[in-house]
Amino acid sequence: MITRTCLLLALGCSGAASASTTLLPADVSCDLATNNAIANFTLTPEHLYEYSWQTFIAINQQKQFGKLSLPAWADWINTATLAEVNYTNGYLKEFNTPVSVEGKDTRKNITTADSWQCDSGCLDLDMSLKLDGDEIKMLGLRDKNNNPVFFEKRVNDKWMEALWDTKENLNEIDNNPSLKDLAGFAFRWGSCGQGNTSAKQPQIALKLGWRILTNKDDKLRYITMENIKLHGFAVKQTLGLVAMHVGVGTSSNLLVGDKPTWTWLTFEQVDTLESETPKTIQYSFIAQDEYSCSNIYTANRPTPLIRDEPIPTLAATYNDQYRSKLKKQNSVLQHYQLIGSQFPHIDNAGSYQRFDKNVRSVVFEPFLAQVNSKCEIPKSQWTVSESIRNKGSDCASCHNNLNYYYNENKIKWTERFKDFTLINSGIPGIPMKEITLNPKEK
C-alpha cells in the first residue's frame, strides 16, 4: 500500500510527518485529507490541481526497499529487459515483451541499487505511433548537448492485476469465440469507496522522459537514475527526469455506458525550456528561432522546443504554492511543475467535457507545436497532419483514438474507453504480436 505524509502534501496540514500518513489519493472526488468521498462532488479547478500535485508527490515519495530508499514507483513493472531489445539503425526498438507468466508478477523484485532502474532494455528513443490512421513520425528528441532523450513506461500493481484479468478473459474467448464481444480490460477503478468494481488504490501508468546529465547540470535538481548502461555509450550515464505523464484510472469521471475514463496529469522539470530557466541554471533544450519547424527529425542536432500552450494561470499559482512548501523541506520535487490536468467527464447537462483541454508536454508532444510561417519543410514531411494538429493536444483525444484486435477480433471498448498504454504495458502470457492495431491503421 502506498502511503504519503500529511505534512508533505496538504497545504493546510499540520503535525509531524512521521506521525500522520494517508493513502495515495484514490479518486478526484475524494477528500484529500481523509480519502473519503465528497458529498455532492462538483469538480473545481482548485480541487483538481491540488489532487494532481498530491498524486505527483505521493508516487514520487521515498519508500524503503530493504536498505534502499527509492521512489515509490521503483518496483512498478516496465516491460522489457536488455535481452529483449532489437537495435535498428542505432535506435532502440522495444519488443514490448510481456512480463513473466510465472507467479503472476505485479511488482519488480528490488534487491540491489540498480535492480529498480531502467537500462537500454526498457528505454525507448522512438515514440512513433498512429492516430486515426495518421502516423506521427517522431524519431526522437535531442537535448541541448545533442544527447538523445529516453522514454520509459511503468505501471503499478493494480494495472498489472487488470492485465492478468485481461489475459484470462482473452483465453476464455479463445475457447468460446461467441464471447468475443465481451472482451475488454477489467479494471477495478480507483474510488473513495470499495466494492467489486472499485479499489481504494487506482491503477496508474507512468510515462517518463529522461535526459543524460553532464557535469554542467545540477543533479540535485532532478529525480535521477545513476550508472545506467545505454546503447551507443561506452560509459554508464546518469539520467535526470525531465517529464512525467501520469494516467490515473478513477471511477468519478463516468462516461459512455457508465464506464470510467482516465485522469491525466502532466509534470515537467522546471529547467526544461530555455525561456523558463534562470540564466544561472543549465536548461535542457534549446529554444526555437523564427525559422524552426515543428518537424522533429533531429538525427544529429539538438531539438528546438517551445511551449505554445501556456500553463494555465491557476495551475501556475498552485505550482508556486506547492514548490514553495517543497523547498522548505528540501525536496527535489520543488524543481518540477504541473503543466496541466485533464479530467474527461459528462457534466450535469449531459455534455462531454475535458477539463484543461490542451495539456501539452513539450517533451512528450513536441510534434503538436505550432509551425512557424517561415518553415521551409513541405507540409507532407511534418510529423503530424494539419487535421490531427487542429484537433488539439488533449490527452484524451490521443489515448482514445486507437482500436486493438486480438486474433483478428476487435477488443470491445466503449466510445471513450480505448487506450494504447494498455497494450504497451504487455499482457502476461500473450505474445504482443497477437494484440495488434486496427489492421486499417497498420
Side-chain angles (χ1 to χ4, degrees), residues 364-435:
F364 294 135
E365 292 91 23
F367 48 81
L368 284 167
Q370 295 178 8
V371 179
N372 293 325
S373 59
K374 296 182 180 180
C375 174
E376 297 179 353
I377 296 178
K379 290 183 179 180
S380 61
Q381 296 181 29
W382 290 359
T383 56
V384 61
S385 72
E386 287 185 280
S387 62
I388 294 297
R389 195 184 309 276
N390 291 337
K391 289 183 179 180
S393 61
D394 56 297
C395 310
S397 285
C398 187
H399 286 259
N400 292 345
N401 282 284
L402 290 177
N403 294 321
Y404 285 91
Y405 286 71
Y406 172 62
N407 290 341
E408 301 302 318
N409 291 321
K410 185 175 181 179
I411 296 177
K412 182 180 179 181
W413 309 94
T414 58
E415 180 62 24
R416 300 185 181 94
F417 187 48
K418 300 175 291 188
D419 194 274
F420 60 81
T421 59
L422 300 173
I423 306 303
N424 289 340
S425 303
I427 299 179
I430 296 178
M432 291 306 298
K433 64 182 179 180
E434 296 183 17
I435 304 290

Side-chain angles (χ1 to χ4, degrees), residues 146-414:
N146 203 25
N147 287 323
V149 175
F150 299 87
F151 303 100
E152 179 187 6
K153 299 180 294 287
R154 293 191 185 230
V155 293
N156 71 342
D157 55 344
K158 296 301 180 183
W159 196 293
M160 291 307 302
E161 289 171 11
L163 292 178
W164 277 107
D165 290 341
T166 299
K167 178 216 172 187
E168 295 170 357
N169 290 344
L170 295 178
N171 285 341
E172 187 174 354
I173 292 170
D174 282 343
N175 298 326
N176 189 351
S178 65
L179 299 176
K180 65 182 181 66
D181 289 336
L182 300 179
F185 287 85
F187 280 115
R188 299 182 66 223
W189 302 92
S191 175
C192 305
Q194 286 184 294
N196 293 331
T197 59
S198 63
K200 278 281 190 179
Q201 182 182 331
Q203 71 283 348
I204 301 175
L206 300 182
K207 183 162 62 176
L208 309 172
W210 302 93
R211 64 176 286 257
I212 295 174
L213 301 182
T214 71
N215 56 9
K216 294 182 180 180
D217 295 299
D218 183 353
K219 295 180 175 61
L220 297 179
R221 295 177 67 86
Y222 294 82
I223 295 172
T224 60
M225 292 196 299
E226 299 181 354
N227 298 317
I228 303 301
K229 183 178 180 180
L230 299 172
H231 177 64
F233 292 83
V235 179
K236 290 184 178 181
Q237 303 291 327
T238 294
L239 299 182
L241 186 74
V242 289
M244 174 179 282
H245 193 54
V246 187
V248 188
T250 59
S251 62
S252 63
N253 47 351
L254 298 180
L255 291 176
V256 178
D258 290 333
K259 295 294 184 182
T261 184
W262 307 94
T263 298
W264 304 102
L265 322 174
T266 296
F267 285 80
E268 288 177 4
Q269 205 271 351
V270 295
D271 306 327
T272 298
L273 296 181
E274 181 178 352
S275 61
E276 298 176 0
T277 305
K279 294 184 181 298
T280 57
I281 302 296
Q282 290 292 318
Y283 51 86
S284 296
F285 296 92
I286 63 173
Q288 286 193 0
D289 58 35
E290 61 177 336
Y291 294 99
S292 296
C293 302
S294 69
N295 187 295
I296 54 171
Y297 286 115
T298 58
N300 293 298
R301 58 186 174 87
T303 309
L305 295 181
I306 187 173
R307 192 183 310 286
D308 57 13
E309 290 286 348
I311 298 172
T313 301
L314 184 59
T317 298
Y318 272 83
N319 285 340
D320 291 341
Q321 293 177 3
Y322 272 90
R323 292 183 60 210
S324 175
K325 191 168 187 68
L326 291 163
K327 181 178 181 180
K328 293 178 181 178
Q329 299 183 32
N330 197 31
S331 169
V332 68
L333 300 184
Q334 68 180 288
H335 303 300
Y336 290 83
Q337 61 182 336
L338 173 66
I339 304 304
S341 306
Q342 190 164 82
F343 183 80
H345 62 288
I346 301 295
D347 64 17
N348 293 334
S351 299
Y352 175 63
Q353 303 291 337
R354 294 172 185 159
F355 182 86
D356 274 3
K357 180 173 175 57
N358 291 325
V359 181
R360 178 185 300 164
S361 166
V362 297
V363 176
F364 294 135
E365 292 91 23
F367 48 81
L368 284 167
Q370 295 178 8
V371 179
N372 293 325
S373 59
K374 296 182 180 180
C375 174
E376 297 179 353
I377 296 178
K379 290 183 179 180
S380 61
Q381 296 181 29
W382 290 359
T383 56
V384 61
S385 72
E386 287 185 280
S387 62
I388 294 297
R389 195 184 309 276
N390 291 337
K391 289 183 179 180
S393 61
D394 56 297
C395 310
S397 285
C398 187
H399 286 259
N400 292 345
N401 282 284
L402 290 177
N403 294 321
Y404 285 91
Y405 286 71
Y406 172 62
N407 290 341
E408 301 302 318
N409 291 321
K410 185 175 181 179
I411 296 177
K412 182 180 179 181
W413 309 94
T414 58

Side-chain angles (χ1 to χ4, degrees), residues 64-136:
Q64 289 301 126
F65 298 89
K67 296 181 180 180
L68 301 173
S69 181
L70 304 171
W73 47 265
D75 64 345
W76 293 11
I77 296 291
N78 39 32
T79 61
T81 65
L82 186 59
E84 296 165 343
V85 173
N86 176 39
Y87 298 110
T88 304
N89 297 326
Y91 279 83
L92 303 177
K93 192 63 181 178
E94 184 181 327
F95 280 165
N96 284 328
T97 304
V99 297
S100 169
V101 299
E102 300 297 329
K104 289 196 173 184
D105 300 338
T106 60
R107 288 182 180 271
K108 296 179 69 175
N109 183 24
I110 307 298
T111 57
T112 63
D114 60 356
S115 61
W116 72 276
Q117 299 181 126
C118 241
D119 58 17
S120 292
C122 49
L123 292 171
D124 284 325
L125 290 171
D126 184 355
M127 290 182 63
S128 296
L129 54 91
K130 293 185 179 182
L131 179 61
D132 285 344
D134 182 11
E135 184 174 7
I136 298 175

